[in-house]
Amino acid sequence: MNISSNPMAHAIAILFIVFSFLFIPATTLFESEQEGYISAVISNKGLDFAKDLLIEKAVSSMIPLQLSDIEKSVKIPVIGKVQLGLSDIIICSVDIASSSVETGESGIVLVASGATANLSMDWGYSYKTWVITISDKGTAIVQVQGMVVVLNVALINQEGTLKLLLLDCGCHVEDIYIKVDGGASWLYQGIIDAFQGKIVSAVEDAIVKKIREGIIKLDSLLQSLPKQMQVNGVVALNVSFMDDPVLSNSSVELEINGLFTGADGVSVSNYCYYYHKGSQTFLSSKGSAKMVEISLHENVFDSAASVYFKANYMHWIVDKIPDQSLMNTAGWRFIIPRLYEQYPDDDMNLSMAVTSPPIIRITDHDIGTTIYADLVIEVLSSGEVVPVACISLVISASCSAEIHGNNLAGSIRLVNFTSSLKWSNIGNLHMHLVQAVMSTILRTFFVPYLNLHLGKGFPLPLPHGFTLQNAEIILQDSRVTVCSDVRFTDRYDLNNQLPVSW
């Protein structure tokens, strides 16, 4: 592929944006010794994809790269002292034979080798004879061969964000070939002798300069990122980095706090979240590893449930259900006769409220949840809402996780429930009869209502322009892990910005 040397330097910088932006840093709401509850593991396959894609995408905006003019006075046999100059020196393209990215204790190392670069430039010379000055000008083409570019950086956690450190960078050119158009025969050898080393140095210095500029700009960008990810008007996600990225010889692992908080920044940490973090290995064993694996501990979902519960978003007034006869006391006359006797043919509401945050537990084969709720039977009598009885419910449900685009979504299925009378103003109830009605209400209203919202899901933090592809979900060790390849859509401009939004 053809890229300019500037694109290569810029693309190297952008490459590390992708490493960093898989999880955008946010306010450190928890102490650093706490574990993170969301982690991302990027495989060699993912790193290679990012490297190849971003180098390619950097080309269009970075070509051409102009170098500084070069002047030199040289002594030419027979001619004497000649003033030579090169101007409008432009690197038009670079062809990279191979490139690689490696990770380990020494940081992230990117190597582009076997590269050739094509340059265009103008030349000019002048020298004096007895009484006159002779000058000429023309163009030249230069091909740089055997170029190697090496970049070594480290990523560290600095107060919940990533700090990018440039450990080393360099560019080495093996050889160049110059083709001069126009001029006398002595001119060719004169330009080679005078400028070969300077052209090589100019190319090497220009590439290294662009790399350093890109790293400085990227580090500044990382430090200025928003401190919180807003999901909606109710909840936000704390995505503070908890530790330094873990670099092995086959992957990069990033770990963030990952717990939901109120949109106003108030933490839900009346609850103590703890789990033992084991070693992270690639779970996608069907064939080769996926590009990225995003793992969410069950405490992530518990924290979201706690926020919605505290914000009073788990309370519903039901006045319409598929069996609308149950919204009138006449529909209950054989189930609760006294209700119909006291309030004949009155319309009803069912007020359902969750009484504590739902408990979510992830096993190797299932996502289970337990919901504690009260259902109050209300009668609309003479323009007033009259509560007449309250039934306590303990609901056990099974959830399945799905990927819709970049969203982690799901659905819920009722497994079983128990009901008991909490209080009543209409005497004792025959709970075995009420149980059947509660089952109808839960299956025809409550479960479909939850699935309507769970089906939308919430976005996984990915850079704009990237979408999951061939994703699979694995349930293991109290976590939901999304194993996926990614693809890039050309509709997004990598060179302008790389934010993550929800």
Side-chain angles (χ1 to χ4, degrees):
M1 58 185 171
N2 288 323
I3 65 170
S4 76
S5 58
N6 190 5
M8 182 168 63
H10 199 69
I12 289 170
I14 296 176
L15 172 63
F16 295 102
I17 294 179
V18 167
F19 298 158
S20 308
F21 274 72
L22 282 171
F23 290 96
I24 297 296
T27 306
T28 307
L29 302 178
F30 295 81
E31 299 298 324
S32 60
E33 62 265 17
Q34 289 188 333
E35 298 285 358
Y37 297 97
I38 296 180
S39 63
V41 181
I42 311 166
S43 68
N44 275 339
K45 181 181 179 182
L47 297 178
D48 285 338
F49 169 81
K51 167 184 64 67
D52 294 340
L53 172 65
L54 293 170
I55 289 177
E56 178 185 350
K57 292 301 176 182
V59 177
S60 59
S61 65
M62 301 308 296
I63 291 176
L65 173 61
Q66 186 159 1
L67 309 183
S68 300
D69 294 348
I70 302 173
E71 293 184 353
K72 188 174 183 180
S73 179
V74 298
K75 189 173 183 180
I76 305 294
V78 180
I79 302 297
K81 188 177 181 180
V82 177
Q83 189 70 27
L84 292 172
L86 302 179
S87 61
D88 291 331
I89 309 170
I90 298 173
I91 300 179
C92 304
S93 65
V94 172
D95 182 73
I96 298 179
S98 63
S99 61
S100 64
V101 58
E102 297 180 359
T103 57
E105 294 182 359
S106 60
I108 301 174
V109 179
L110 189 146
V111 179
S113 58
T116 60
N118 294 316
L119 292 78
S120 65
M121 61 185 180
D122 296 333
W123 58 264
Y125 72 87
S126 64
Y127 66 93
K128 289 185 178 180
T129 61
W130 294 95
V131 292
I132 62 172
T133 298
I134 299 176
S135 63
D136 197 1
K137 60 183 180 180
T139 60
I141 297 175
V142 179
Q143 186 176 66
V144 176
Q145 294 190 345
M147 184 165 63
V148 179
V149 179
V150 180
L151 172 68
N152 186 5
V153 300
L155 288 169
I156 62 172
N157 178 18
Q158 187 177 71
E159 298 181 352
T161 62
L162 284 183
K163 175 72 176 176
L164 184 62
L165 301 176
L166 179 61
L167 303 180
D168 188 25
C169 69
C171 176
H172 173 71
V173 173
E174 184 70 25
D175 202 358
I176 67 170
Y177 296 89
I178 304 173
K179 179 182 179 182
V180 178
D181 295 327
S185 60
W186 58 265
L187 179 64
Y188 175 74
Q189 190 62 44
I191 290 178
I192 292 177
D193 293 341
F195 293 115
Q196 183 171 8
K198 287 184 175 292
I199 294 174
V200 168
S201 297
V203 171
E204 294 173 343
D205 293 345
I207 291 178
V208 171
K209 180 182 178 182
K210 287 299 178 182
I211 292 175
R212 293 185 181 277
E213 290 175 354
I215 295 298
I216 293 172
K217 183 177 181 181
L218 172 58
D219 181 60
S220 176
L221 177 62
L222 292 176
Q223 300 303 311
S224 65
L225 288 171
K227 300 300 182 181
Q228 184 171 268
M229 270 184 143
Q230 200 76 17
V231 178
N232 52 38
V234 182
V235 297
L237 183 64
N238 173 9
V239 282
S240 304
F241 284 95
M242 304 306 293
D243 292 299
D244 292 341
V246 178
L247 309 180
S248 72
N249 59 4
S250 60
S251 64
V252 174
E253 181 178 356
L254 305 170
E255 186 178 276
I256 64 172
N257 178 280
L259 297 181
F260 286 92
T261 64
D264 56 1
V266 177
S267 171
V268 296
S269 53
N270 288 343
Y271 304 90
C272 180
Y273 296 108
Y274 173 80
Y275 80 100
H276 174 71
K277 180 179 182 295
S279 59
Q280 183 80 351
T281 57
F282 276 96
L283 302 177
S284 51
S285 57
K286 299 178 182 179
S288 59
K290 299 287 188 177
M291 293 180 183
V292 63
E293 295 187 355
I294 304 172
S295 178
L296 300 88
H297 191 267
E298 62 187 23
N299 289 348
V300 175
F301 307 100
D302 279 338
S303 68
S306 296
V307 173
Y308 278 105
F309 173 78
K310 286 191 170 184
N312 199 30
Y313 273 80
M314 295 186 176
H315 182 202
W316 306 275
I317 303 296
V318 184
D319 58 5
K320 286 185 174 63
I321 60 175
D323 187 357
Q324 193 61 24
S325 66
L326 293 175
M327 291 292 97
N328 188 282
T329 56
W332 294 72
R333 58 184 173 178
F334 300 116
I335 304 169
I336 311 177
R338 190 170 172 181
L339 171 65
Y340 183 70
E341 292 173 4
Q342 291 186 214
Y343 304 96
D345 293 318
D346 281 338
D347 290 333
M348 299 170 52
N349 287 338
L350 300 176
S351 176
M352 187 170 183
V354 175
T355 58
S356 63
I359 300 170
I360 300 169
R361 293 294 174 260
I362 301 173
T363 65
D364 289 354
H365 304 290
D366 185 50
I367 303 174
T369 182
T370 303
I371 303 171
Y372 296 88
D374 285 345
L375 188 145
V376 177
I377 301 174
E378 300 175 339
V379 177
L380 308 180
S381 178
S382 301
E384 295 184 359
V385 178
V386 182
V388 296
C390 178
I391 299 169
S392 292
L393 302 172
V394 180
I395 303 167
S396 295
S398 175
C399 304
S400 61
E402 306 163 357
I403 293 294
H404 294 166
N406 283 352
N407 283 17
L408 179 60
S411 61
I412 192 170
R413 177 180 60 85
L414 181 64
V415 175
N416 57 60
F417 73 98
T418 61
S419 60
S420 60
L421 182 62
K422 190 170 185 178
W423 57 263
S424 172
N425 295 331
I426 50 176
N428 289 328
L429 309 184
H430 298 289
M431 290 307 299
H432 65 283
L433 298 177
V434 174
Q435 180 97 356
V437 177
M438 293 298 102
S439 177
T440 299
I441 293 171
L442 290 176
R443 295 181 189 278
T444 61
F445 168 77
F446 185 66
V447 170
Y449 178 84
L450 290 182
N451 284 335
L452 179 65
H453 293 274
L454 292 173
K456 298 175 183 177
F458 67 91
L460 295 170
L462 290 170
H464 272 299
F466 290 84
T467 58
L468 299 177
Q469 189 174 40
N470 301 323
E472 60 182 76
I473 294 177
I474 298 174
L475 306 179
Q476 185 175 328
D477 297 331
S478 301
R479 296 187 235 190
V480 175
T481 300
V482 180
C483 310
S484 182
D485 291 330
V486 297
R487 64 184 178 89
F488 177 75
T489 57
D490 289 333
R491 292 173 297 176
Y492 184 71
D493 182 4
L494 283 174
N495 299 304
N496 289 333
Q497 54 183 347
L498 276 173
V500 170
S501 67
W502 290 77

